[in-house]
Amino acid sequence: MKREELLQRLTPATQLWDIIIIGGGATGLGVAVDAATRGYKTLLLEQHDFAKGTSSRSTKLIHGGVRYLAQGNVSLVLEALHERGLLLRNAPHLVRNQSFIVPSYDWWEGPFYGIGMKVYDVLAGKLGLGPSRILSREETLAHIPTLEPEGLRGGVIYHDGQFDDARLAINLAQTCVEHNGCVLNYMQVKALLKTRGLIAGVVAREVETGKEYELHGRCVINATGVYTDAIRRLDEPESEPMIAPSQGVHLVLDKSFLPGESAIMVPHTDDGRVLFVVPWHGRALVGTTDTPIDSLSLEPRALPEEIDFLLRHAGRYLTQDPQVRDVKSVFAGIRPLVKAGADKAPATLARDHTMMISKSGLLTITGGKWTTYRKMAEDAVNHAAMLAGLEERPCRTEHLQIHGGQTHVEIAKPLDVYGADYEAVQRLVQENAAFAQRLHADLPYYSGEVIWAVRNEMARTVEDVLARRTRALLLDARASIVSAPRVAALMAKELGQNEDWQKRQVRAYEELARGYLLTEN
Ligand SMILES: Cc1cc2nc3c(=O)[nH]c(=O)nc-3n(C[C@H](O)[C@H](O)[C@H](O)COP(=O)(O)OP(=O)(O)OC[C@H]3O[C@@H](n4cnc5c(N)ncnc54)[C@H](O)[C@@H]3O)c2cc1C
């Protein structure tokens, strides 16, 4: 996937794309893969980097959503469990079976959650990841040795999926390109083109050069997550907002807080939310919150009360109470929840997806979750094809291998995330001593991976490499800051950039990464 080559595909400007997608998160990339694999001439434009928005800031679960089951939303859970099973087959290098323990401290919790999880198993059907089971106190502690033992009666074990969100986004972009689609990061849509009142394309600005492009399409799809309303206003300036943004925060702790293989799931916290402590890339991820917010940002910041809530609740369930100084990184994401009418608490807003077609033919798709991105895309492309009068073609993504997923061998960490690219990455890492060097003693990444990201995964900035191609920013924000000058130097050589560029990149990265730290030193 080479950006220069893909940029060239925007000329001649007179060409007509079948489908133009605005937004390169889970939703937009899913739509782009679906459209390209049906053979439609597909173009996706992302204003920043792929998955820069909500799609790199999730809890990293591919799940049916035990909570939605409690709310009685069985159809949503059924769909998500089906998608979970498909994704585990289509991207086995990134999605894995994760065991979760629901600890019980009250006499009724074991049987109550035990029955709930059995229903969850039944709904998953043949695509189930393993049966749930009630555990004794001893079995529960064997799975989670750091679980608070006082008052513990036992637990329930169940299975769900876990993944790397930003890596999946990159692999979806590659899959799209492999099926003749065109995907571009750093390409911001500034306006919509209309012919006789109907949407006919977009005006986009290439962020690195400032060059503007007029791009014509039979159908334009708005997949901009929490920015959905901004694009809708380009179409209809008076349109009422449909998104109720809600922020969710995660803390990343050292593995010693959760040394085993299993995750903890607390079904009901003080504000009625689910709390997860999940092992992820050799760390423990604690999340999340649900805080309605008024202003949007691509870099949302955790509020002090959200951090306090997570530390306090994690402390209740862990033997060792995590402190501010234990937090390796804190990251926030914003849910593009769709308003369900009057002011409701965020936890009750619709979590399934919504599609909308404006009078001028702009198709908006939003809401949903990472887990259901494929189904959302299928729905969107079915409608887009009708709307644009494209030849009807069936969806092909149900059993489509996602880039990297074509591997059948078990690959050792840390290069397992590359899947079928593993050997090529390994060769590059071993090409010379410099590439074989680790970026930092506390991070699992090799210098050669920076080169790989630039050459094959369209990484343009130090942030792209440290935040989304690798997950250094989330695993250890401080160590990632220390690595930034080395990453900048490696990238500058590949991209033909000078020392001034390196300095600017390092400065910008440092400023961003400081927002992921809770303490100054
Ligand atoms: C805290 C939290 C935890 C979550 N956990 C999970 C989970 O564990 N499992 C799960 O299944 N789901 C989870 N979700 C939900 C899931 O992350 C989201 O549903 C999904 O990522 C939304 O993707 P999206 O593509 O719609 O939005 P985004 O990822 O935000 O993508 C929209 C993109 O549009 C781009 N854009 C905006 N304006 C323009 C423009 N003018 N031109 C070009 N591009 C533009 C943005 O830069 C952005 O990259 C979680 C969400 C949150 C907030």
Side-chain angles (χ1 to χ4, degrees):
M1 189 165 72
K2 306 244 180 282
R3 192 165 182 278
E4 302 72 36
E5 287 170 16
L6 291 167
L7 255 183
Q8 278 169 16
R9 287 177 47 190
L10 299 187
T11 43
T14 48
Q15 70 182 310
L16 187 61
W17 298 88
D18 287 332
I19 296 183
I20 298 179
I21 299 134
I22 315 173
T27 310
L29 288 163
V31 172
V33 168
D34 188 303
T37 50
R38 291 193 207 201
Y40 298 138
K41 193 170 170 191
T42 304
L43 172 65
L44 177 141
L45 307 168
E46 162 56 47
Q47 64 175 353
H48 194 279
D49 187 26
F50 305 117
K52 164 72 179 180
T54 310
S55 297
S56 57
R57 299 155 189 275
S58 77
T59 312
K60 330 292 181 203
L61 301 180
I62 295 297
H63 59 163
V66 172
R67 191 160 63 87
Y68 312 126
L69 193 60
Q71 291 168 356
N73 198 342
V74 174
S75 62
L76 178 61
V77 178
L78 254 179
E79 179 177 284
L81 286 174
H82 181 71
E83 291 301 319
R84 181 188 77 174
L86 295 181
L87 201 49
L88 208 81
R89 287 182 186 168
N90 297 336
H93 60 306
L94 290 179
V95 187
R96 60 183 198 93
N97 185 335
Q98 171 71 55
S99 56
F100 288 79
I101 308 288
V102 183
S104 44
Y105 290 91
D106 271 317
W107 66 268
W108 54 271
E109 285 180 320
F112 181 77
Y113 294 121
I115 292 169
M117 293 313 174
K118 278 290 164 221
V119 176
Y120 200 61
D121 292 349
V122 170
L123 291 177
K126 271 193 281 188
L127 292 175
L129 305 184
S132 62
R133 197 164 64 82
I134 293 183
L135 303 178
S136 68
R137 184 178 190 276
E138 288 63 40
E139 285 174 314
T140 305
L141 286 172
H143 278 282
I144 317 262
T146 50
L147 196 62
E148 178 56 62
E150 207 185 310
L152 183 74
R153 288 166 178 266
V156 178
I157 184 169
Y158 76 99
H159 298 263
D160 241 328
Q162 201 219 22
F163 78 129
D164 186 320
D165 47 12
R167 292 285 326 159
L168 183 56
I170 303 305
N171 286 170
L172 285 173
Q174 291 170 310
T175 308
C176 178
V177 172
E178 281 155 12
H179 289 85
N180 281 327
C182 181
V183 296
L184 283 162
N185 52 3
Y186 297 102
M187 198 72 171
Q188 185 176 39
V189 170
K190 307 288 282 183
L192 299 172
L193 297 172
K194 287 190 181 177
T195 310
R196 289 185 294 278
L198 294 178
I199 301 280
V202 302
V203 179
R205 183 174 155 273
E206 206 275 317
V207 175
E208 291 181 2
T209 58
K211 185 174 169 190
E212 286 211 348
Y213 293 80
E214 279 200 0
L215 302 157
H216 301 270
R218 293 181 206 274
C219 180
V220 175
I221 299 185
N222 173 15
T224 51
V226 291
Y227 294 96
T228 291
D229 290 326
I231 299 292
R232 286 175 62 239
R233 278 195 297 275
L234 294 179
D235 176 28
E236 292 173 2
E238 305 301 324
S239 62
E240 284 289 317
M242 62 187 277
I243 298 293
S246 170
Q247 174 162 295
V249 166
H250 293 89
L251 306 178
V252 182
L253 303 175
D254 188 75
K255 176 86 178 133
S256 57
F257 284 90
L258 190 72
E261 292 292 311
S262 294
I264 303 174
M265 193 275 236
V266 178
H268 207 85
T269 61
D270 287 356
D271 73 344
R273 279 205 63 79
V274 176
L275 182 82
F276 287 105
V277 187
V278 193
W280 189 67
H281 290 327
R283 302 284 190 275
L285 205 70
V286 182
T288 176
T289 54
D290 208 346
T291 314
I293 49 160
D294 305 323
S295 59
L296 298 177
S297 163
L298 277 176
E299 276 300 332
R301 287 286 168 259
L303 303 173
E305 54 269 32
E306 292 180 297
I307 294 162
D308 183 56
F309 172 89
L310 291 174
L311 286 175
R312 214 160 13 93
H313 280 80
R316 268 187 213 170
Y317 293 92
L318 297 172
T319 41
Q320 194 190 344
D321 293 358
Q323 308 293 322
V324 162
R325 62 170 182 275
D326 297 314
V327 176
K328 297 203 164 287
S329 185
V330 52
F331 63 95
I334 312 179
R335 296 178 188 83
L337 299 184
V338 178
K339 287 189 183 184
D343 286 341
K344 289 189 178 179
T348 65
L349 292 183
R351 309 261 159 171
D352 32 2
H353 69 270
T354 296
M355 202 160 30
M356 196 183 237
I357 299 173
S358 75
K359 279 191 222 118
S360 51
L362 175 70
L363 195 155
T364 292
I365 172 109
T366 190
K369 356 190 248 169
W370 242 120
T371 307
T372 52
Y373 84 92
R374 193 206 64 82
K375 188 72 185 101
M376 289 171 74
E378 182 178 344
D379 282 1
V381 177
N382 284 346
H383 282 79
M386 240 181 335
L387 186 68
L390 302 175
E391 185 192 321
E392 212 177 295
R393 294 175 195 157
C395 171
R396 290 187 45 208
T397 55
E398 215 173 341
H399 303 291
L400 181 84
Q401 288 285 299
I402 291 165
H403 181 98
Q406 305 85 341
T407 175
H408 300 291
V409 293
E410 279 281 314
I411 302 160
K413 288 177 190 311
L415 297 185
D416 51 335
V417 292
Y418 294 101
D421 284 335
Y422 158 73
E423 279 181 9
V425 178
Q426 174 90 324
R427 264 199 307 279
L428 187 62
V429 165
Q430 290 169 349
E431 199 174 288
N432 62 51
F435 290 178
Q437 253 182 40
R438 292 279 277 269
L439 286 181
H440 189 282
D442 295 337
L443 291 169
Y445 305 112
Y446 297 102
S447 301
E449 291 178 74
V450 178
I451 309 295
W452 177 266
V454 173
R455 288 187 192 163
N456 303 287
E457 297 179 346
M458 268 163 92
R460 307 295 298 173
T461 68
V462 167
E463 181 201 329
D464 295 349
V465 169
L466 289 172
R468 290 170 295 276
R469 303 306 182 282
T470 73
R471 309 313 304 273
L473 176 62
L474 303 196
L475 298 190
D476 193 327
R478 196 162 279 113
S480 80
I481 292 175
V482 176
S483 315
R486 179 165 180 76
V487 173
L490 288 161
M491 291 185 80
K493 246 192 184 156
E494 280 297 304
L495 294 167
Q497 297 284 7
N498 59 21
E499 247 177 65
D500 192 41
W501 179 88
Q502 291 182 46
K503 279 192 194 132
R504 275 183 285 120
Q505 282 289 315
V506 172
R507 218 177 303 125
Y509 183 75
E510 251 194 70
E511 203 181 307
L512 172 124
R514 294 220 168 272
Y516 290 67
L517 291 172
L518 291 185
T519 53
E520 277 304 308
N521 40 49

